[in-house]
């Protein structure tokens, strides 16, 4: 199965569009899920993927790794979230995020410590689930994708580094929990062109 990853270098306008909710009657959900699963199981660097990153502008997310203590291990959560929506956010964390769509651009992003998410599973059953800690960061990042928001749009600082450089950098600049409760306000979305972002990268 061939999958084509969308990147800001070639598909910036597309990645900034809002994905449409899945219509269980009319959308080919099976093919979409198979595409996401194939990509994630064959690309170990990814923690998760949103459908629009692979050219499917649907509100669909595949979670692969959300346990920060196991990021270097070979495991796969294989969790599918359909039409996910954050209904409550609390606390505050920071992490140097990377993204399959954003090349080597790594950004320091503030995310909630805890989120309550409404979504459907592959059996069309609705759930409301709480994600805490690093899993909230991963899922918040992917839900932003569905709304056309890239992590570099809301990052406090952006650096350009390879995967190996990023792994070393994160050892000295790890995921941080600043507070576990209190109101979380999503950072202002400052959409900038790739050229403009790169001009500010250190």
């Amino acid at each position: 199965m061939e999958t084509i990853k969308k990147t800001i270098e070639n598909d910036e306008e597309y990645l900034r569009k809002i994905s449409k909710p899945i219509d269980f009657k009319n959308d080919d959900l099976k093919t979409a899920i198979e595409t996401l699963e194939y990509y994630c199981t064959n690309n170990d660097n990814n923690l998760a993927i949103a459908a629009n990153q692979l050219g499917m502008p649907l509100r669909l997310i595949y979670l692969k790794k959300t346990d920060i203590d196991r990021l270097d291990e070979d495991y796969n959560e294989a969790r599918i979230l359909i039409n996910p929506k954050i209904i409550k956010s609390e606390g505050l964390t920071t992490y140097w995020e990377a993204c399959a769509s954003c090349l080597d651009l790594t950004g320091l992003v503030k995310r909630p410590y805890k989120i309550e998410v409404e979504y459907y599973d592959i059996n069309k059953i609705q759930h409301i689930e709480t994600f805490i800690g690093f899993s909230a960061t991963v899922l918040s990042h992917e839900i932003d994708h569905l709304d056309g928001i890239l992590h570099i749009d809301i990052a406090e600082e952006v650096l350009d580094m390879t995967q190996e450089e990023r792994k070393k950098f994160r050892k000295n600049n790890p995921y941080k929990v600043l507070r576990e409760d209190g109101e979380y306000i999503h950072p202002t979305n400052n959409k900038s062109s790739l050229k403009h972002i790169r001009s500010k990268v250190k």
Side-chain angles (χ1 to χ4, degrees):
M1 177 185 292
E2 183 181 2
T3 55
I4 301 175
K5 181 176 67 176
K6 299 291 186 178
T7 71
I8 54 173
E9 191 163 48
N10 303 310
D11 312 286
E12 186 172 354
E13 184 178 351
Y14 163 82
L15 286 167
R16 296 192 183 284
K17 292 181 179 179
I18 297 175
S19 296
K20 72 181 185 72
I22 284 177
D23 181 336
F24 284 106
K25 292 183 179 179
N26 298 314
D27 288 323
D28 188 354
L29 185 58
K30 182 176 183 292
T31 297
I33 291 172
E34 287 175 350
T35 301
L36 295 180
E37 185 163 40
Y38 179 84
Y39 181 84
C40 277
T41 54
N42 287 279
N43 291 273
D44 193 53
N45 298 332
N46 287 91
L47 304 183
I49 197 84
N52 65 332
Q53 292 180 270
L54 298 181
M56 302 174 291
L58 302 170
R59 300 192 79 82
L60 177 66
I61 290 171
Y62 185 105
L63 292 182
K64 179 180 180 180
K65 297 181 178 183
T66 62
D67 184 342
I68 197 166
D69 295 322
R70 299 183 63 192
L71 293 189
D72 294 327
E73 295 180 23
D74 182 19
Y75 83 101
N76 190 45
E77 290 184 23
R79 294 200 58 192
I80 301 293
L81 280 69
I82 300 168
N83 294 340
K85 179 172 64 175
I86 296 175
I87 56 178
K88 187 176 182 181
S89 302
E90 294 181 70
L92 189 64
T93 68
T94 59
Y95 186 62
W96 284 92
E97 297 183 12
C99 177
S101 296
C102 293
L103 311 175
D104 288 331
L105 297 176
T106 304
L108 180 62
V109 183
K110 290 180 177 179
R111 298 282 185 191
Y113 173 73
K114 179 166 62 176
I115 57 175
E116 205 169 284
V117 180
E118 178 184 284
Y119 69 93
Y120 289 86
D121 63 24
I122 58 175
N123 296 312
K124 306 177 187 178
I125 298 173
Q126 187 181 41
H127 300 263
I128 294 179
E129 183 176 347
T130 299
F131 294 80
I132 296 174
F134 191 67
S135 62
T137 290
V138 175
L139 188 50
S140 295
H141 176 114
E142 300 307 326
I143 291 175
D144 268 357
H145 269 299
L146 302 183
D147 292 325
I149 300 170
L150 304 174
H151 76 289
I152 53 178
D153 296 333
I154 59 173
E156 295 192 325
E157 184 180 353
V158 178
L159 303 176
D160 195 340
M161 59 182 82
T162 66
Q163 180 189 343
E164 286 305 311
E165 289 172 334
R166 184 165 53 247
K167 287 178 72 172
K168 293 178 182 177
F169 181 80
R170 282 173 173 165
K171 288 182 179 179
N172 295 319
N173 299 273
Y175 169 77
K176 293 180 181 177
V177 177
L178 304 182
R179 54 182 170 82
E180 296 185 4
D181 52 19
E183 183 182 12
Y184 168 80
I185 299 174
H186 195 283
T188 302
N189 181 9
N190 296 313
K191 292 184 178 179
S192 301
S193 67
L194 176 58
K195 182 178 179 181
H196 178 66
I197 291 169
R198 280 189 160 159
S199 71
K200 299 191 298 181
V201 169
K202 297 179 179 178

